[in-house]
Amino acid sequence: MVANITTGKDIYGALAYNQRKVDKGKGAVLATSNIRFPADGRFGVAALADELLRWMPSHVRTEKPVVHISLNPDPEDRLSDDELTDIAAEYMEGMGWGGQPYVVYKHTDIDRPHIHIVTVQVNSSGRKIGDSRRNERSVAETEKIERKYGLHRAKGRKRGELWRLAPVEPEKGDLKRQIASVVKPALSMYRFQTLGELRALLALYRIGVEEVGGTRGGRSYRGVLYTVLDADGKKTQAAPLKASRLGDDASLAKIERVMAFSGEQIGGKKLLALTRHRVGEALLDTTDETELRERLRKRHIDLYLRRNDTGRITGVTFIDHETRCVLNGSRLGKAFSANALHERFAVGRKTELEQLRQSRRRPQIRKTHPSRRK
């Protein structure tokens, strides 16, 4: 079982995210704790937000009081609603949030039914509940639940599934071997549908790929060159390497075969929906690029952005190392596109700038004329 914990400021956003699943028939309120049951039996966003906010005093100063948790069993684990409810309660208790008000949702929008929990990490006295070593404690709690319910273990499986490729380091020499040790396994394991998506994948390992063509001896030819990139993604002075020097497993023909069958595999195995779901969780209530990258990495997803000379985001690609899919943001939907992320980060920068301006403001001290003092 994999647990993902996200903290934020927007209680309405966290609840609305889950309510949209309910409205589409892909989710349901599974349980609540320390929340009054509505008279009409319907849990709406406004009512639930009021219940959670009622718990927190007005003087709360915690920057991110809202906690949004997802607990994801293995697809082969078949759990009843009662078991999922018990698991949620045991996890919350183990994390020190058992006495908090919280709501548990069950999601069925992907093949793997899973649960989301929305709560607040501030107690009724206005103090933040301690969260030191939170991630380590979360792993310990999920492992305890796995043992108790006989679930598939997540920790060992993740380590075995994720392929660790090493970025190219020009100073070590033998660039042919270094590039081949990345390109060949990448082409055999990952699914992508355009050369741009492959380019985003290889850029993680400081490798560029360029399609070339022309005529030679009256005959046309096409191929690819592999280049070495610096830390900023710019081409270095290292000589490009022809794919033919690496063999058929790194050729343009191999790339085109992967692109041809990747679309069918991604659609047939519903991998796009799984990646969209996990990226959507990471995007929730964040307008900061650094924070988004950190959230995605916890889900084993890398974010690759392309920008023009003015700094505007012109392309977005998500590299999912669990599903082994490389997907342009536009494939996932409008909310994941270059324009959407550019606007999202712009809002974050505007908010950060406003906070900085406010911090620099000093209250004006009204001086009293000496003759008016008593």
Side-chain angles (χ1 to χ4, degrees):
M1 173 174 286
V2 178
N4 290 308
I5 304 174
T6 300
T7 58
K9 305 175 183 178
D10 186 6
I11 188 68
Y12 292 95
L15 293 170
Y17 171 84
N18 289 280
Q19 185 61 43
R20 284 194 291 270
K21 308 289 184 181
V22 176
D23 294 341
K24 293 178 181 179
K26 298 294 185 179
V29 175
L30 202 57
T32 61
S33 179
N34 291 323
I35 290 177
R36 294 176 295 189
F37 197 84
D40 60 1
R42 301 178 62 183
F43 290 94
V45 171
L48 285 172
D50 287 344
E51 284 293 300
L52 292 170
L53 293 174
R54 183 173 60 88
W55 186 268
M56 298 191 299
S58 59
H59 64 272
V60 169
R61 296 181 179 178
T62 302
E63 183 180 2
K64 296 183 177 180
V66 181
V67 182
H68 191 180
I69 306 156
S70 67
L71 297 178
N72 305 273
D74 186 274
E76 297 181 10
D77 291 327
R78 304 299 177 185
L79 295 165
S80 67
D81 288 353
D82 287 341
E83 288 174 319
L84 289 172
T85 300
D86 291 342
I87 285 172
E90 292 171 22
Y91 178 85
M92 294 295 283
E93 190 66 34
M95 292 296 292
W97 295 322
Q100 295 296 99
Y102 62 84
V103 55
V104 183
Y105 295 89
K106 178 183 178 181
H107 287 193
T108 56
D109 55 333
I110 55 178
D111 288 343
R112 178 185 63 203
H114 55 287
I115 56 177
H116 282 238
I117 307 169
V118 180
T119 187
V120 290
Q121 58 177 343
V122 177
N123 62 26
S124 56
S125 64
R127 294 184 177 181
K128 179 181 177 181
I129 297 174
D131 62 351
S132 62
R133 303 179 68 182
R134 183 183 65 193
N135 292 334
E136 293 179 30
R137 291 190 292 115
S138 178
V139 170
E141 289 304 317
T142 55
E143 289 180 346
K144 187 187 302 182
I145 290 171
E146 287 171 345
R147 290 192 296 270
K148 178 176 178 178
Y149 290 87
L151 307 180
H152 290 78
R153 294 189 62 191
K155 189 174 182 180
R157 186 180 70 253
K158 295 300 177 198
R159 288 179 177 175
E161 286 180 356
L162 297 179
W163 190 280
R164 302 298 183 187
L165 302 175
V168 169
E169 299 180 63
E171 62 274 13
K172 289 186 176 181
D174 197 357
L175 294 179
K176 177 182 175 181
R177 179 193 59 78
Q178 290 194 62
I179 291 175
S181 65
V182 173
V183 171
K184 290 184 177 182
L187 293 183
S188 67
M189 293 187 301
Y190 285 85
R191 304 170 179 90
F192 51 88
Q193 299 173 73
T194 67
L195 192 63
E197 289 174 338
L198 172 61
R199 189 173 290 116
L201 170 63
L202 295 182
L204 296 179
Y205 308 103
R206 296 178 63 176
I207 298 174
V209 57
E210 301 174 2
E211 183 175 0
V212 295
T215 58
R216 184 183 297 117
R219 300 179 61 180
S220 61
Y221 70 90
R222 294 172 60 240
V224 292
L225 294 176
Y226 294 106
T227 60
V228 177
L229 307 178
D230 61 20
D232 297 322
K234 304 296 184 181
K235 193 188 306 183
T236 66
Q237 295 181 351
L241 189 68
K242 291 182 179 180
S244 58
R245 293 189 58 194
L246 303 181
D248 292 341
D249 289 341
S251 66
L252 177 60
K254 171 67 174 182
I255 293 172
E256 291 179 334
R257 286 197 297 271
V258 175
M259 291 193 293
F261 69 71
S262 288
E264 183 178 347
Q265 285 197 336
I266 291 171
K269 296 183 179 181
K270 300 181 180 179
L271 300 177
L272 187 145
L274 182 58
T275 298
R276 180 195 294 122
H277 175 84
R278 293 164 60 233
V279 173
E281 289 182 347
L283 276 171
L284 184 64
D285 189 30
T286 180
T287 56
D288 180 77
E289 180 180 337
T290 300
E291 182 179 18
L292 175 59
R293 289 184 182 276
E294 292 175 354
R295 290 183 179 186
L296 288 170
R297 287 193 183 105
K298 289 179 181 179
R299 293 163 171 82
H300 304 117
I301 298 173
D302 274 302
L303 172 64
Y304 178 80
L305 299 178
R306 295 175 293 283
R307 286 184 163 92
N308 62 17
D309 294 339
T310 66
R312 183 177 181 83
I313 298 173
T314 58
V316 178
T317 305
F318 297 97
I319 299 102
D320 190 333
H321 300 290
E322 285 193 18
T323 63
R324 301 268 171 78
C325 292
V326 186
L327 298 161
N328 284 336
S330 56
R331 294 190 192 279
L332 300 183
K334 185 176 180 181
F336 308 91
S337 66
N339 285 338
L341 285 196
H342 182 81
E343 292 174 3
R344 179 182 288 264
F345 296 154
V347 169
R349 288 191 293 272
K350 183 178 179 181
T351 301
E352 184 179 353
L353 181 60
E354 182 59 29
Q355 291 176 345
L356 180 61
R357 287 172 176 169
Q358 290 180 356
S359 68
R360 290 177 176 175
R361 292 171 184 167
R362 294 292 184 268
Q364 294 183 350
I365 301 175
R366 184 178 180 180
K367 296 183 178 180
T368 304
H369 192 278
S371 63
R372 296 180 182 178
R373 293 175 185 167
K374 294 183 179 180

